[in-house]
């Protein structure tokens, strides 16, 4: 039953919107996406005037040239286009429709997430073991706060998201803190939305697989007070890659964010109770933070980033300085240095280089290689694993 | 300069996304919407394969039959369609494109909001005096928390948003509390997104026009644990209008929400320090809450809702009981009973009926009539005014 007719007169008194309140008559609701019992998915859209409707999902293979191979929807009665795709593995997917060459959302699916400065896409959750941590399941849940704090280092009032675990308010305990960094093009909303960090932590903590912890999700672009959808960029010269090269984000995390968290939350204020991990640009920042401050973090996770040649961004690493940094961090003996990357990641070679350089100094780390590439699919898995290895 | 070419190779190292990471080459960025110095706005979209592109903005007039009069975009070079609309008054607008009959988002504008269960739309902020409260301006800012709490009344773990004012963490004071209710089809995300309640409160408090207060934004649908984009509806028989008729939301606010807030935040626990206001369905709930609990709230605001005939929803008000409720509330002497409605609101007649019934019992209230209809434009204005009249 793909279409439900709703008598709008029944809704007229209830609706809180300018447009529909003026309308009278019948309204069609298209059911899309529709997930069958065996996880086949039917996508539908009413587009009587369209010449072509395609589906672009992040589960689809790409050509050797990197073009995703889109799937055609077929036009049926009443101008409703549809396609049923074969059973999808459990995962939190992103997708769009492409209508007459324009990438658009599925208007019937209100689950929407913004991927940094790139696009807005629909979310599709296929339940199952592999995606079980990503849903807001029954059980106690932590709190996510949008906090504005002073950053004297950047001369900005900035925004971050802070997760406190289930029971934080009622407890008297002090908690350890994970600093969780996003990638280039992203902002402080990346991990709480596409990364579903709060669901992952709730579910791991409730099942006893992770220790209760506070998770701090900052904005890693030193030229921004907050996501550009919230406030305009204030220092455009500090947008990445210039901002990345400035190392100002790393300084502000140490000088502004950590003191704020340690003054305003019930946290344990020692190295053993601090962890940091980040993906891509945030992986670089994680490297920088731990090399520059070898005694600050006990648990360090670098996701989808190695020792890449970043000279085009004005980032030049002196090789003897790098060796000294590795030796200093080795001496500081962090309990965990974890490197995770997908086999198809375009930064895979940089991770090989990093491992080689670390091995040359006898620096111990754990290496985790997954399938796939530079994707949120991997980063959610990496967070799910990293969170179980820390504060134990 | 509507289009910016970005060398993607420059971004390759930075990007945190599966799709673009595989691509090489040039990427076009369309500038849309572009606001000129005199507030004319140019909308653009690249749609080489489209037959027709229209703009649907909530500032546009509707026909007498209630159809919004859309504006055509014109196809130009490289398949880029555009239109410049005359200067818009300062406001926070919503708009969509309609491409070959499909309502879609502007892919170049990442400012997106979900209007309840109705649609996802782009936001357009035109700065000026009338919209000055709606932006995250410089200055101290409050915190918005997403909190899950137990509701024994509904047998659910539910989500609400709680705003604490600038300085709450550092202060020792206890604060008054405003309970702020959304309309039918909405959920707990309505006021923090379309309603920009946190920006309005920050700006009013920072300018001394409103007292520092806590604002509690609940989910008014008793069959939902949270917005359906977060968790599926748990008790579908409790979806509105059945949920509205059940009065269970009102009971849960009194029995679950207020005790939670008064146990977990530094608040003043007396009638003088409690206010409630809501729009449309939330206006009905505000009426119910104050009639059923005449000594609970000192400040009461009913937005865009009067005494409507709701018998089709199973809501039948006994007229002698209603008179007694009015007399009981009159006796309780709330400091403010405020009724706000737009001249074009489809519920305008119900507000005339309400005023007549209140007048008949000599019940004192303040009546605020605005231009416009049943819109977020009005509800943002009403919150901006109501917040300055309470806790003084």
């Amino acid at each position: 039953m793909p279409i439900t007719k709703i008598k709008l007169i029944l809704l007229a008194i209830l609706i809180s919107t300018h447009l529909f309140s003026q309308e009278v008559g019948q309204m069609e609701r298209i059911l899309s996406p529709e997930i069958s019992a065996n996880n086949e998915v039917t996508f539908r859209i009413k587009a009587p005037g369209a010449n072509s409707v395609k589906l672009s999902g992040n589960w689809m293979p790409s050509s050797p040239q990197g073009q995703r191979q889109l799937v055609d929807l077929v036009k049926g009665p009443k101008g409703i286009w549809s396609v049923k795709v074969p059973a999808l593995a459990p995962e939190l997917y992103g997708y769009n429709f492409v209508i007459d060459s324009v990438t658009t959302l599925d208007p019937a699916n209100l689950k929407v997430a913004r991927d940094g400065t790139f696009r807005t896409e629909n979310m599709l959750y296929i339940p199952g073991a592999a995606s079980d941590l990503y849903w807001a399941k029954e059980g106690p849940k932590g709190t996510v706060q949008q906090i504005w704090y002073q950053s004297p280092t950047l001369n900005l009032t900035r925004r971050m998201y802070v997760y406190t675990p289930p029971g934080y308010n009622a407890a008297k305990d002090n908690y350890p803190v994970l600093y969780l960094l996003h990638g280039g093009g992203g902002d402080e909303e990346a991990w709480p939305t596409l990364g579903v960090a709060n669901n992952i932590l709730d579910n791991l903590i409730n099942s006893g697989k992770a220790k209760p912890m506070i998770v701090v999700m900052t904005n890693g672009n030193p030229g921004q007070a907050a996501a550009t959808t919230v406030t305009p960029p204030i220092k455009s010269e500090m947008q990445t890659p210039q901002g990345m090269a400035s190392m100002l984000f790393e300084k502000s995390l140490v000088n502004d964010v950590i003191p704020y968290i340690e003054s305003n939350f019930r946290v344990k204020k020692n190295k053993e109770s601090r962890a940091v991990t980040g993906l891509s640009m945030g992986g670089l920042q994680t490297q920088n933070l731990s090399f520059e401050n070898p005694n600050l973090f006990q648990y360090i996770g670098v996701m989808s980033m190695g020792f890449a040649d970043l000279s085009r961004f004005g980032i030049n690493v002196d090789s003897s300085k790098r060796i000294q940094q590795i030796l200093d961090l080795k001496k500081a003996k962090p309990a965990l240095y974890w490197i995770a990357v997908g086999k198809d990641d375009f930064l895979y070679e940089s991770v090989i280089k990093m491992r080689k350089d670390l091995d040359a100094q006898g620096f111990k780390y754990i290496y985790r290689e997954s399938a796939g590439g530079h994707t949120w699919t991997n980063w959610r898995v990496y967070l799910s694993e990293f969170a179980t290895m820390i504060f134990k």
Side-chain angles (χ1 to χ4, degrees), chain A:
Chain A
M1 175 75 168
I3 304 171
T4 314
K5 299 259 179 196
I6 297 174
K7 279 199 183 145
L8 206 69
I9 190 68
L10 192 83
L11 277 171
I13 202 77
L14 296 168
I15 55 183
S16 55
T17 178
H18 38 83
L19 180 64
F20 287 5
S21 65
Q22 307 300 331
E23 292 177 358
V24 176
Q26 301 261 320
M27 176 181 147
E28 281 179 334
R29 290 243 167 183
I30 307 288
L31 181 57
S32 179
E34 182 181 20
I35 306 171
S36 75
N38 68 348
N39 289 348
E40 294 170 323
V41 184
T42 303
F43 297 86
R44 296 186 183 90
I45 183 169
K46 182 161 186 169
N51 298 319
S52 139
V53 180
K54 293 171 192 288
L55 174 68
S56 174
N58 67 359
W59 61 88
M60 294 175 180
S62 293
S63 72
Q65 291 74 40
Q67 291 294 316
R68 188 180 287 172
Q69 289 163 357
L70 307 187
V71 168
D72 286 310
L73 279 74
V74 174
K75 194 173 184 177
K78 297 182 184 175
I80 295 169
W81 299 67
S82 66
V83 67
K84 184 188 274 194
V85 304
L88 292 175
E91 179 54 86
L92 182 57
Y93 294 104
Y95 73 94
N96 288 95
F97 286 142
V98 181
I99 300 178
D100 293 348
S101 75
V102 181
T103 299
T104 71
L105 290 181
D106 178 350
N109 180 358
L110 294 166
K111 286 186 217 291
V112 163
R114 176 175 61 85
D115 190 0
T117 56
F118 302 113
R119 76 176 72 75
T120 303
E121 62 186 8
N122 287 105
M123 304 302 287
L124 167 63
Y125 177 75
I126 304 288
S131 61
D132 197 43
L133 295 174
Y134 305 160
W135 192 243
K137 291 197 285 189
E138 292 282 310
K141 290 181 178 62
T143 296
V144 177
Q145 306 191 24
Q146 300 167 12
I147 293 177
W148 294 80
Y149 66 99
Q150 293 300 319
S151 170
T153 304
L154 303 175
N155 194 25
L156 289 174
T157 303
R158 307 193 82 214
R159 194 172 76 148
M160 61 182 160
Y161 280 63
V162 177
Y163 165 90
T164 55
Y168 174 84
N169 275 352
K172 306 274 178 226
D173 304 338
N174 292 327
Y175 291 82
V177 184
L178 167 61
Y179 295 87
L180 182 58
L181 314 181
H182 63 79
D187 53 53
E188 74 276 17
E189 294 187 339
W191 273 111
T193 56
L194 285 169
V196 290
N198 54 322
N199 290 345
I200 290 172
L201 267 292
D202 282 348
N203 291 324
L204 288 175
I205 292 168
N206 288 338
S207 64
K209 289 178 185 156
K211 294 282 183 191
M213 66 183 84
I214 289 170
V215 183
V216 177
M217 295 165 275
T218 51
N219 181 313
N221 311 302
Q224 292 183 341
T228 53
T229 51
V230 175
T231 58
I234 291 177
K235 298 174 183 175
S236 56
E237 78 280 9
M238 272 298 141
Q239 293 306 96
T240 49
Q242 289 82 354
M244 192 170 71
S246 73
M247 297 276 279
L248 279 170
F249 167 72
E250 290 88 332
K251 290 190 182 76
S252 74
L253 188 96
V254 173
N255 296 332
D256 308 331
V257 176
I258 294 178
Y260 182 94
I261 295 297
E262 297 190 351
S263 313
N264 287 280
F265 290 85
R266 293 198 323 276
V267 303
K268 295 177 183 163
K269 306 175 190 181
N270 54 45
K271 178 189 173 188
E272 289 66 33
S273 304
R274 288 188 209 105
V276 63
T277 188
L279 64 97
S280 197
M281 178 180 84
L284 178 72
Q285 292 167 334
T286 299
Q287 293 172 12
N288 293 337
L289 281 161
S290 55
F291 283 141
E292 297 281 334
N293 311 278
N295 287 298
L296 200 54
F297 301 100
Q298 180 77 318
Y299 309 92
I300 300 151
V302 179
M303 306 177 180
S304 301
M305 175 57 79
F307 289 170
D309 177 2
L310 300 170
S311 56
R312 74 175 81 97
F313 305 117
I315 302 174
N316 294 292
V317 177
D318 179 285
S319 61
S320 61
K321 186 185 172 195
R322 173 53 50 88
I323 289 170
Q324 191 56 51
Q325 287 178 323
I326 295 170
L327 292 172
D328 289 348
L329 190 57
K330 182 181 174 186
K331 204 164 150 195
K333 294 186 181 169
L336 176 66
Y337 197 99
W338 194 70
I339 302 170
V341 72
K343 280 183 188 185
D344 301 328
D345 196 308
F346 72 104
L347 289 170
Y348 185 81
E349 291 301 318
S350 77
V351 174
I352 291 180
K353 160 87 166 124
M354 180 183 185
R355 292 168 60 200
K356 199 177 139 210
D357 288 4
L358 296 178
D359 289 342
Q361 306 310 322
F363 183 91
K364 294 230 172 74
Y365 57 85
I366 294 179
Y367 176 57
R368 161 72 161 105
E369 188 172 290
S370 69
H374 208 71
T375 66
W376 275 105
T377 298
N378 270 339
W379 301 324
R380 286 185 290 259
V381 169
Y382 299 161
L383 173 61
S384 304
E385 295 179 4
F386 186 72
T388 66
M389 293 186 281
I390 59 180
F391 309 131
K392 291 189 169 173

